[in-house]
Amino acid sequence: MLIKNISILSGHDLDFVPSTDIRIQGNKFKKIQPNIKQNTTEESLDCQGLLMIPGLINAHTHIGDSVGKDISLNDTVDEKIHPVSGAKSKILQNTSDDTIIDFMKSTCRSMVRKGITTFVDFREGGLDGVLLLKKAMSGISLRSVILGRTEFYQDTKAIRANTSFPSTKSAELLGLLQKCDGIGISGANENSTSVLKYYSKTSKLRAIHCAETKQSVARSKKITKISETARALILKPDFLVHMTHASETDLRLASRKTRGIVICPRANSALAEGIPNIKLMLKSGCTLALGTDNIMINSPDMWREMDFIWKATMGTYKKRIDAKEILKMATVNGGKVLDKNIGTIASGKIADCIFLDKHALDIEPMHNPHASIVHRASESAIKAVMMGGDIVHGNI
Ligand SMILES: [Zn+2]
């Protein structure tokens, strides 16, 4: 396919290019330059008036709780989403698999319409939970990165005694990993050092919630005398999720020892946990990606997430975080954190992208494309969504 006369945000730096041509071959961007000559066999589309940006990467979700939208609104974080005792686990226990699948399907469809081409899900419920999500995704064109877990949590006594991972569970973990993309651990406070070390030897992606609440940071110090981040790093995670209450020392450690941090500012705010210290994270050298977290507390909308960061950081620091940096969090940096060939419009990259209508009511005239996208664009400005070279929503 040859796309003619389109504006794009090009490469790792999302440089605005007013007009160029793009050849898409197989599932990748093959060639990007002006005036590409059409092959006799290829379809050519004039895309004047459209702006192509990378497909959005929602780097942290729990779509399994799509059935629990806005339950337990006024409870504490643990009362809402604690993996064992929270309202979330209760509603999931009392809902049939078919209903859970139906609502996960709705969330996947909603994400595609919103220009999300990849989502990274922390999937609870062991192998069954992973298979349920895969069933929900059948027939939906959306790239998933599923990080599963065995439902194995340790109490304070077991953590202090450094109890190891039970050998009876190791086959279960191996079976789980064969069916998903890696492990997503609920947190260091539910695992002994020995167990975190055991998980660190698994071969696929590894990620863990970390320093989401003041309480979890304090709890780690109390139980183990070690910071929650230092303990989470025992997992050798590819990336950490949240770090909302991490210290500068912890952030510097994270920037050296991981590929990055996935922040979830709207979810943190919805849970009254404040917002991550993005300025300090960037100063500490962290690569930041963006996620919308639990569906029960937040909508899977990366446009809203970007707008929220733009406004909340301005309100907090009285100084803007560059719109381009925010857009990178939703695209390029997601690809970096996952170490996948996605998130960027460049030749050789997988052709996941959004075609925005430059004349959309809310964004024309676009005097600053990055700012317009970050705080004005929404689902309504999307003309089409492409995943792996195929149009999966809308048309161009
Ligand atoms: Zn989470």
Side-chain angles (χ1 to χ4, degrees), residues 323-336:
K324 197 189 264 192
E325 287 307 316
I326 297 174
L327 189 53
K328 279 186 196 173
M329 293 176 200
T331 55
V332 179
N333 293 357
K336 280 187 189 168

Side-chain angles (χ1 to χ4, degrees), residues 60 62 122 209 241-242 293-294:
H60 187 62
H62 300 255
F122 265 37
H209 291 131
V241 179
H242 294 306
D293 211 353
N294 296 77

Side-chain angles (χ1 to χ4, degrees), residues 165 173 177 182-185 191-208 230-238 257:
F165 190 73
L173 179 64
L177 282 168
I183 48 173
I185 302 299
N191 294 281
S192 70
T193 297
S194 167
V195 169
L196 291 168
K197 272 191 186 153
Y198 186 85
Y199 289 146
S200 77
K201 296 192 176 88
T202 56
S203 59
K204 292 188 165 180
L205 277 173
R206 292 180 299 274
I208 183 165
R231 292 204 69 244
L233 290 173
I234 298 169
L235 176 70
K236 296 195 178 126
D238 293 281
K257 304 262 185 181

